[in-house]
Structures are given as structure tokens and as C-alpha cells.
Amino acid sequence: MNKQVELKNKRVIASNHVKLGQKNQKGQTYTDINDIFYKAKQTPNFLTGSEVIRAAIKVASVGTSVAYPITPQSEAAALIGELYAEGYVDEYFRGESEFAVMGQCAGAAFGGHRVFTTTAGPGTLRAMENFPMWAGARLPIQVCVTCRGINSPLSIQPDTLEMYYLLETGMLIWHAETAQDLFDFILKGFIVAEQPDVHVPIAVCCDGFFVTHTKDTVDLPPDDLCLTPYDPYRNPQPVMDMETAPIRMMRDPFIMKSNYISYATHASWQQEVKAAVERSRKHTIPLLDGLIDEENTDREILIVGSGTAVSQAREAIRLLEEEGIKAGLVKIKTIRPFPYEEVRQATKNAKHIFVPEFNLAGWLAREIKANIPDNERVYVGPHVAGGMTMPSEVIVEEIKKHLGMEVATRGTLG
Amino acid sequence: MSKEKIVLCEDLADVMPPEYHELVESATFGNQDRGWKDIGSSKELIEQHSLCAGCPESIAFRYILASLPTPEDTVFVGSTGCTSLVFPHVAVHNIHSLFGNQNAVASGLKRTLKSRFPDVEKDVVVLAGDGATVDIGLDMTMQSWFRQEKFTTICFDNELYANTGGQESGLMQKGFVAKMAPKGKNFEKVRLAEIAREAGCAYVAVLTVSKPNRVEQAIKNAVLVAREVGPTFVQLYTPCILEIGKQSMEGLDEMKDAESIGGRFVQKEYITDEAQKLLDSIKEETKARKQAAKKPVNA
Amino acid sequence: MSHYEVKAGPEAFLPPAAASMGNVLPDPGEAHIGGKIVPEEEAYEKAARMVLGAKVPTIFPGPLVLWKWNDHVAEEAKAIRELALEAPMRIIPMADYRPKYPKINQEVEINPNHPNLTIWHNKIDVCIFFGVHCHMANLSLKMIRGGTNCYTIAMCAMAGDEDACLSFRDADLKMINKLKATIKKLKSEGVESQAEPFTQFVMGRSGTIVAPA
Ligand SMILES: Cc1ncc(C[n+]2csc(CCOP(=O)(O)OP(=O)(O)O)c2C)c(N)n1
Ligand code: SF4
Ligand SMILES: [Mg+2]
């Protein structure tokens, strides 16, 4: 199982086939990702999550973006269209369905573009066949998933169940808590996903509405800087442009026909995709400052979460503190690769581990239970779904109830 | 890439298997006048594959590869089906991603290549079965035509799902008894050529692969019109001899029957005025070029 | 930090990917030996000793160096040839990655989908990968480790291959030449090549010109 990668002040090397300092057609200066985040002056802006996606893509040197309407990502996808009209994105159009959109994204990535798209809920599931295909084909496409409900009856409201379906696709899966995370993850996500040893797709997920449609203060670097463009030749597979050897090349040939092949090839291929996801740790740790954030993990009560559940947990911890109950917090930023070792370390002192989630499956709790010793310490919940909010008081109550403490009675919902 | 780059490194060339020597020495990359007549006298862009012996898809592949105007700058997009057994052995970059999404992939690919190589004509050609084109992928096939995506779609119409063992497809003839159509197919063969015309294709051709010169002309027309005018579509009858119970030698007769008067594959073309104008001017240019080449140099 | 030791097999029916066992790729200026990160210098020495100590050391040049698709690869191809002559090593090409139909000639070709066939047939005990795309290299390297006793050395032009027993990163012309120089130096110090005598095959358009022996 995975060991923790040492930091050693590593700098992530982005593509350097374009000279840093050179300007693009829009007058933006190609800048190293580290300099964009850690050297350039950051200015606070008050924006919705959708506007934050636009701000990130404006400086991301994206080649192709393909759009399709579905709440709550429609606004962001349309804003990227504006960027295209202004000349910040090379190609943009509306596809005919999410399944087609992801195929169009694949075509663009096979041809050597940096590709960005957005989807949500039913769109994610409609597109599903494409995600393991992207990963198997080593296409570093970024899809921003603004999570919403997926089952009948239809719901446009936030629910993170769809992330469960993404876990074994072979994609990197990062979960943004705030609009600031969303901005950072989108830009850093390109750089990590495109490393030649990683080179797999990335889903940057956020909770719909809570992140996409509320305004928040976000620190942004100047928009006259931009990422260096994708270099399609720093690729673990040949790019399909008829400019690279070998020309007798099918992406990707069937290797399971018994007349030529050992089945081991397919198994080895799958292992290689998983390995690529693991390799991303080395590049992600310095850029995201670790795969998890920890606060007071020496305490006996811990809340472990991802996405906006973390914000609610933080407030719950403050409320508990008022009552003299001390709890710590672990925020998980990357669901794939899962920070096994980090979570094991961070939870080693805990006696009670609570995992609040915006879905009824409890996939995060399952991941944690499967990977830490003495997993009866994990309390699966509290859960909400279908667009319900998760008031911090609910987390507080659930914790107190579980610990056998007195809880003020509460009216039923509705 | 230019044909000068399709060469081996001298210092390691002599360890390469013979087919690669042949490929760099006598394939027709970069030859403006390449065509089906090169078959037999030059290296073909296809190696041995595992289609059934005598499968007309095999000869169709050979004619198409011989007829591409510039294989050195062409990328194919395929789909799941019998064609995927051939694509690994084709000396042109090609993509298989899923079953039925070929025209979506090609849309993204063509736009990207156009954007990355604004000064080079990079042709994108889709080549997929009838199940892929008409049934599972019809939405994406047609939408790419609606959007006027500038690439060629070729459908290998064998009137059934061959790779999964002979099931009914939308392009199967009415009444044909097949797997999943146990009482005979009860609706007409989908009129894909007419759909293509109405959906915005600038050039449409339907034919069998019995006559190589006709296949060559259709493929050339389709690729050249797709460059300049808009989407193009070629439907080729490539009967699945295995599933209709023919011997390996009988494919040709089957195609000849199907293209004779009253048959399902009587040759037809739909060409827009704009496409026709382009094709006429190309014809003129080619004629002039060939005539100029014939003149003695010192005349 | 401890690491999963990547050594010559046969290791398992399906050996794990070293990255999934926690092995991490080297940084620029580094290499890995058996999964342990070492300074690049150390890896030249080890690779050279492994080549000299082998009975059937073989270079597997891949498509990126076999095809002259850009200007600088021709020099790398020349350097690969010189390295093979210096050691001496055999050269067996991985011309492309297709699952070749109906089969490869395992005496004179290697294919990433069943690399073990070529290794078994020729009894190759040490090999060097150069010019193979990382994804295909890693597929092969895992299968070789799974089913053969061949010691694998990857000269990767990008970030390195954890699934090789020894891997360089950022490999280029200079690095091939440096490996050659290291072999030469060791020989001058008295380390003798243990390679069995062989004839490098020569192929032409119509087939084998000089058969391997
Ligand atoms: C999503 C999906 N559904 C079904 C299949 C199974 N499948 C593979 S090939 C094929 C039939 C192909 O038929 P066609 O496109 O006509 O090509 P042919 O084999 O006849 O040349 C089917 C149904 C698949 N691979 N993927
Ligand atoms: S099954 Fe039919 S279409 Fe497929 S290779 Fe055989 S004859 Fe051709
Ligand atoms: Mg068919």
C-alpha cells in the first residue's frame, strides 16, 4: 500500500517547450505554475463558482472545450464560450449529449490539445462509458464535475453520489471545498494530470450550487499571466497527428484476441493506469500542499470529510468547542489517489471518527473504513442528500448522540 | 508529416523487419497520383490481419488506403467491429475509443488538428460498420453532419452486426432472418444516403467494392470535398460472407448482384453544386498537371 | 524510505506495478536501481556491470529511435549502434506496438504485448529499453518481470520507469554515450564481457540477409 511521498521542496516541472516569459496572442505571459500561485500578487475577488471556473480557464491556455447544458454547470460552460469568443480558448462548441461531448473531448486530446469540459449528475452518468476509456487511453482531459442528484425523481440539487461512480474509472479525482479550491484545483489539475508519468484524466469535483452558485472571496493571480500550453509530445503514448513515430499506430488496439495475445497485456495496462494515478502524488503534494489538510488531529474526536462537508464540519467543531468538546478535522483533497497513509497517520490518535457526507451511499466513510486499523472507530455519517443542507448543528447533535451525551430535542423536518 | 520523414534511421534500419523496409522504400506516401492501380506494384499501407478469408472488408480497406489523397497527413477514426481487427495493421495513425462515438471523436480531432496545424491539410476519415454508424452512433453521425464538421464518414455496410455474430442492424434488408430478428426484420433498410444528404453532407456516394476505380473516385471525391466544402459520406457494401453463408470466393458475385439494376446498391451519388464545382476544378487541374508532365522537358 | 524491490523475475503470475507499491520515480539527476533512488552516476556503473556480466545482453530500440521522424533521433540511433558494438550487445527492434498478426518472429523482433516470447526464445538475461513510449515500456517491463529472469534497464526520455529493474530518466544522446563510456572504462579496468559470441542479424526488404547466430 502507498507510502507517503516526501516533499523535499520539490517543484513541479510544467512543460517547457514554450519559453517562459513569452506572450500568447492575447498578450498573456506564459508563466510557471509555481510563480502563478506563489510569486504573483493575488487579488481578492468576490465571485460565484461559475465565474471562478471562467477565471481559471481564462489563464489555462486551453485548446478545446466542449459544452452541454445541465444545471448547475451550464453557466460556467457558457462563460467558457465567452472566453472562446474573446480568443482565450482555441476551439469551443456545444456537443449533442454528454456521451458525445466526452467523445469530442477524447478526439481533441488524441489530437494533442489541452481539453476542458464540465458536467454534472445525469450528465456524468450519461458520459460514464467515456471515463475509463479516457484513462485507458492516457488522455489528460480535465472535467469539472459540479455534483448534483442522479436518481429519479429528477433533482438538480447538490448530492455527491455521482462521485462514487467515478472512483474506479482511472481518473484523478479531486474534491474542492470552496471556490478558492476550485480555482486552484483547475489550474494545478492540468499541470499534474499532464505530467508524462501521470497523463490520465482528472475530475475536479465540487458540490453543485453550494460552490457554483454562491459568491465567495477568491484570491486570483493577474489574468495577464497564463499556464504554459500542453506539450502533446511529452506523452506516454503517441499523439494522433501523423507527426510522430510510429505511423503504424492504432490508439488503442485490441489486445485480447486469443490469436495473438497474452491476456496479461490487458491486466498490465490496467495496472499501469492505476500506477499513473499513484504517480500523481509526487506532483500533487507540493502543489496542493499535501493531499489532506489537518487541524488538531491529536484530538480523540475527529471529523474527516471532503467538499463542502468540510466547511460544515469546521463550523460544527467551533460549536462543539463552545460546549467544551474538542474535535479535530481532516480535509481530504484528493479522493484519487486516496491519501491512505496520510489518513492513517492523521487518524491514529482518534477514538471516534465522523464522516459527514452529502450522499446516502457514504462512499468516503467506506474508503476510510477500508484503510485504517480499528475501523469500528468510524461513524458513517451524518448524511444528507437530494439537495438538503447539512447544518453544523446536525453534525454536532450526531456526534453528541453517538458519544452518549445529552442532546436537546429537535423538531422534525418539514 | 512530409514523406521525407517516413524513413528509418540509417544506423538501425538493418535490424528492422522486412515490411518496414518495404514501407519506407516503396509505399506511395507523397505521391499525388496514388490510386488503386498501385496495388501490386508498390507497398500497401496494410499488413496481414485477422478478418475472415475472403471478407470484402479486406479489399475495401486496401482500395481506400490506396486512394487516400495524402495518407501521410491523414488520421482515421474507427469504431468497434470487424474493422477494428484491421486497424492495428494500417500504416496511418488511427483511433479506436468506443463503439458508436466515432463521429464525435472525429469532430474533436479534426478541429484540434486544424487548430494545431493551420497550414497543413490534415484529413480525418471515419471508417466504421453499419451498426456503429446507423444504430448506436446515428445521433453522433448526424450531428456531425448538421454541424458541418469537415471530415469524411465511410460506412462499411455489411447489413448486420458481424463482430458480435450476425445480429439485426438498421441497414439490414427488411425480412432478413437474423439473430435478434427471429421472424425476419420487420422494417425497411434505413435510407442512410438520403439522411446524409438532408443532414448536410456535400458529397454522398453509395456503391459496392466490386470495382476499384469507382471506390477510388468516391474516396478521393469525399476527402477532397470534406477539406473545402463540408461533411461527406460514403456507404460501401461489404457483405459479411460468414454471416450470410457465402464461401470466400463468393463475395464479389454478391456485390455484383447487389449493384445491378433493382439491387440495393446500385451506385448513386448526391453532390451539392458547390462540391460539384470543386470536383470539376480539381479534375481540370489534374488534367493540366498530367499533360504538363507528359511534355518533354527540353521542348 | 524503504521500497519495493524491483528485481529480475520470474516474480508472479501478475506482478504488481511498482508505483502501486509506493515506489517513486527519480528526480532529474537521479536514477533508480531496484526501486531505490540513486545518483545517476551510480546507475551507469551498475548498468554497465550488468551488461558486461550478461550472457545475452540485448538492446531493444523502440519506434522513437528507429524512425527518423525528427532530426536528432538519427544521432541517437547511431549511438545505440555504437553502444551495442562496444559492449557487445545484440539489437532486437520493437518496430511498433501493434499486436502483430499472425505472429512475430521472436528471434528478430520484440512486441510489447508479449515481450516474454522474445526473451525466452533468445535467452536474454539483460536488456535495455530505449525509444519506447513510457506506457508501452511499462506494460512490457511488468510482463518481463512476471515471467522471465531478465534484468531490465530502461533509458526513458521522460520521468523514468519504476517497473524496470534499473531506470534512468531524461535519457538522450549524451546518456547513451555515457553508458558506452562507462562500459569501455570497466573493460579497460579488466571487467570482461561474459556475452556469448553471436552474429547480429541483418534484415533487408526481402527478408533476412544475415541470420542471427
Ligand atoms: C457500448 C457497446 N455496446 C455493444 C458493444 C458490442 N459490439 C461490439 S462490435 C458490435 C457490432 C458491430 O457491428 P457493425 O458496426 O455493423 O460492424 P461490423 O462488425 O459488422 O463490421 C457490437 C454490438 C460494444 N462493444 N459496446
Ligand atoms: S465476420 Fe463477416 S464482416 Fe467480419 S471479417 Fe468475417 S466475413 Fe468479414
Ligand atoms: Mg456491420
Side-chain angles (χ1 to χ4, degrees), chain A residues 389-411:
Chain A
T389 57
M390 191 188 296
S392 305
E393 294 78 7
V394 169
I395 303 178
V396 169
E397 280 174 21
E398 200 122 343
I399 290 177
K400 285 169 67 181
K401 227 191 281 177
H402 181 68
L403 297 178
M405 297 176 187
E406 192 122 325
V407 181
T409 43
R410 195 183 159 78

Side-chain angles (χ1 to χ4, degrees), chain A residues 129, chain B residues 57 80-83 99 129-132 136 158 160-164:
Chain A
E129 191 187 0
Chain B
E57 283 197 0
T80 322
C82 283
T83 53
F99 183 45
D130 49 310
I136 197 168
N158 53 13
L160 47 75
Y161 288 59
N163 203 238
T164 37

Side-chain angles (χ1 to χ4, degrees), chain A residues 211-347:
Chain A
V211 176
T212 53
H213 285 62
T214 53
K215 281 203 163 192
D216 200 357
T217 305
V218 185
D219 287 335
L220 301 181
D223 65 3
D224 60 354
L225 306 181
C226 67
L227 294 185
T228 48
Y230 171 58
D231 179 355
Y233 301 105
R234 271 167 60 83
N235 197 322
Q237 282 272 45
V239 60
M240 291 292 96
D241 59 4
M242 269 312 259
E243 295 293 331
T244 182
I247 54 163
R248 197 185 293 291
M249 186 70 208
M250 174 178 182
R251 298 287 314 278
D252 295 293
F254 300 2
I255 46 179
M256 82 302 181
K257 285 285 168 183
S258 51
N259 47 1
Y260 15 80
I261 289 312
S262 66
Y263 301 94
T265 316
H266 202 279
S268 190
W269 195 299
Q270 292 188 37
Q271 288 179 318
E272 171 60 11
V273 171
K274 279 180 172 287
V277 172
E278 290 308 323
R279 287 183 204 121
S280 73
R281 299 160 66 86
K282 171 174 163 177
H283 309 291
T284 310
I285 289 168
L287 273 182
L288 294 192
D289 195 17
L291 307 185
I292 65 171
D293 286 343
E294 299 180 48
E295 289 167 32
N296 303 316
T297 46
D298 52 340
R299 296 180 173 172
E300 289 189 358
I301 303 171
L302 270 193
I303 307 181
V304 184
S306 67
T308 52
V310 175
S311 311
Q312 299 310 101
R314 207 176 271 115
E315 175 62 10
I317 288 170
R318 198 187 60 77
L319 295 175
L320 285 166
E321 194 110 28
E322 282 176 3
E323 300 187 41
I325 303 167
K326 288 191 153 60
L329 179 68
V330 176
K331 165 176 167 174
I332 299 185
K333 292 179 276 192
T334 66
I335 312 297
R336 287 289 180 273
F338 194 78
Y340 303 111
E341 187 59 29
E342 289 89 338
V343 170
R344 258 200 296 275
Q345 286 301 322
T347 55

